[in-house]
Amino acid sequence: MEKKGLAGRLPRQATWESWPIFGKLQNKKDIVFALLLIIWKIQSLTLAVFVWSSGNLTGHIDIYVLTANGKRKQNILDEFVKMLKAYKYRLYPTKEQKEFFEKQFNACRFIYNWGLQTKIFCYEKTRQSLSHYELELKMVHELKHEHLWLKEVMSIPLIRTLINLDIAYDNFFRELKKDPHFSGFPRFKSKKNARQSFQFHQGYTVDFDAGYLKLPKIGNVECRYHRTFGGTPKTITISRNAGKYFVSITVHDGLETPAKQPYDADSTIGIDVGLTHFATLSNGEKIDNPKHLLKNIERVKVLNRRLSRKKKGSNNRKKAVQQLARLHEKIANQRRDFLHKVSHRLISENQAVAIEDLNIRDMQQNHHLAQAISDVSWFEFGKQLEYKAEWNGKTVLRIDKFEPSSKTCSNCGYKKENMPLSVREWSCPECGTVHDRDLNAALNIKNMALCTAAQVG
């Protein structure tokens, strides 16, 4: 007879990291068993917290593992959630709803800056970090009594703000251990930033038929649903950018991540990114760089000059800020649309793509090329290739940033000593092959990635 509950579903020799079943806890017996199991597997563990979160369609269980100092260690549902997709829609709030949104933006920004300052002060004084649980207690019992206006807004986005701060703080120290020169410490948020946002994960309702998004303390907000989705909505993010309001809904569609499809040399393409051409492919194709910022740079300068002449605090200055923000939004939308189209085509046409792992931050130290490198968005392009490959069961292969892809002959393997950026073509002294610098680099990236993958596999 088959055993029921979590205990009957666990394989004997499996490790707890590979059990996606934690997301399917359904009764108290399963929860108690899972708690004992986690404590047995992790010696340093002192407590596991099971948080039941009810969304608009269904509920889910978040399992947070805590260590002795109270820091959040891991949400085990990360193993359970296979595919998450975000859907972004335009909001059209009324004047009263805009005022509430602005008050919520200000509250979340205030809480974030207060939490960051508190964590910095505590670390400097005691060399220990405060968890978001401790900050939440301080916020509820102290800060809200000092600033009564915090009680007028939704409390869940304030808690989410502290969680996001805790994640950013932990990520900084985690990356700092890998790279002692890492400079990604969380920054204080500014009210002058054109983009403001807040998050929450429960209490909202998505109504496709009526065209509304129902939010707590706000009511129905008109929403333009240009497409629908299936699955369980998780976290939603309300944002304002250049005077426009949007909602981004993260959805768990319940689908398993597709298995990786096999690939070989014929179904793999190498990509060498650049500035003159956005990308050069190993099949000889060159994709032009649209240079969206360069095409609009004169208009950006004009609007910046107009903004600098406006009196601070005046309505005309606010209008000038809006104009400049909308132009930057237009440039960003053009760039994002181009990257999505290129990445979608490359993933659809190939079983695997090979790219170079570039150190973009150091490359931007060259002030002659920093603006052009920022405009071309290599990092965003690589990120889009990664998640689109995961969605479609494709593979992204990377080679190390120190590999001499441009200086190595793709025909015989001869390595040239020096090659400045001004050299766009060169002839191999060993085999006599005349190489286009970018095409040769794309071929080498493909060959090196396949060679590394074969060694690892």
Side-chain angles (χ1 to χ4, degrees), residues 44-47 65-73 119 122-123 127-135 166 170 177:
S44 61
L45 185 68
T46 58
L47 179 64
V65 179
L66 308 182
T67 55
N69 61 359
K71 294 179 66 176
R72 184 178 66 85
K73 195 68 176 174
K119 290 173 79 73
C122 179
Y123 186 80
R127 290 297 169 181
Q128 292 183 352
S129 178
L130 292 174
S131 67
H132 79 267
Y133 298 102
E134 296 168 306
L135 289 175
D166 200 37
D170 290 345
K177 291 180 180 178

Side-chain angles (χ1 to χ4, degrees), residues 141-177:
H141 297 293
E142 298 177 14
L143 199 64
K144 282 194 173 183
H145 292 289
E146 297 176 8
H147 304 275
L148 297 178
W149 61 276
L150 291 174
K151 297 182 179 180
E152 299 175 5
V153 298
M154 293 179 286
S155 60
I156 295 178
L158 303 183
I159 298 174
R160 293 289 306 183
T161 299
L162 293 177
I163 294 175
N164 293 338
L165 170 62
D166 200 37
I167 294 173
Y169 202 77
D170 290 345
N171 287 343
F172 167 74
F173 286 101
R174 187 182 301 111
E175 293 297 327
L176 193 64
K177 291 180 180 178

Side-chain angles (χ1 to χ4, degrees), residues 172 175-176 179-187 361-362 365:
F172 167 74
E175 293 297 327
L176 193 64
D179 182 9
H181 302 288
F182 182 70
S183 59
F185 189 79
R187 300 178 182 179
R361 181 175 298 168
D362 287 347
Q365 301 304 313

Side-chain angles (χ1 to χ4, degrees), residues 220-264:
N220 293 332
V221 182
E222 184 181 352
C223 183
R224 189 68 55 84
Y225 293 109
H226 57 279
R227 57 176 175 170
T228 60
F229 58 80
T232 306
K234 298 293 185 180
T235 303
I236 74 169
T237 303
I238 306 294
S239 61
R240 184 206 67 204
N241 190 15
K244 301 175 184 178
Y245 294 85
F246 300 91
V247 57
S248 180
I249 306 175
T250 305
V251 179
H252 177 212
D253 54 15
L255 300 177
E256 294 287 334
T257 304
K260 294 292 185 181
Q261 301 177 14
Y263 60 89
D264 54 21

Side-chain angles (χ1 to χ4, degrees), residues 279-335:
T280 302
L281 309 183
S282 57
N283 60 6
E285 179 186 356
K286 292 191 175 184
I287 302 174
D288 291 332
N289 182 6
K291 300 180 181 179
H292 298 295
L293 179 59
L294 185 62
K295 292 178 180 178
N296 295 275
I297 194 65
E298 293 302 323
R299 182 61 178 169
V300 171
K301 292 179 180 178
V302 169
L303 294 182
N304 269 313
R305 285 196 293 267
R306 290 180 183 176
L307 176 61
S308 64
R309 298 190 189 105
K310 300 295 186 286
K311 184 179 179 180
K312 291 185 178 181
S314 65
N315 288 330
N316 285 335
R317 185 178 179 85
K318 294 179 181 178
K319 294 177 183 177
V321 169
Q322 287 281 359
Q323 285 183 325
L324 183 60
R326 286 175 181 171
L327 178 58
H328 280 295
E329 182 196 25
K330 174 186 174 182
I331 296 171
N333 288 340
Q334 290 175 335
R335 184 186 299 120

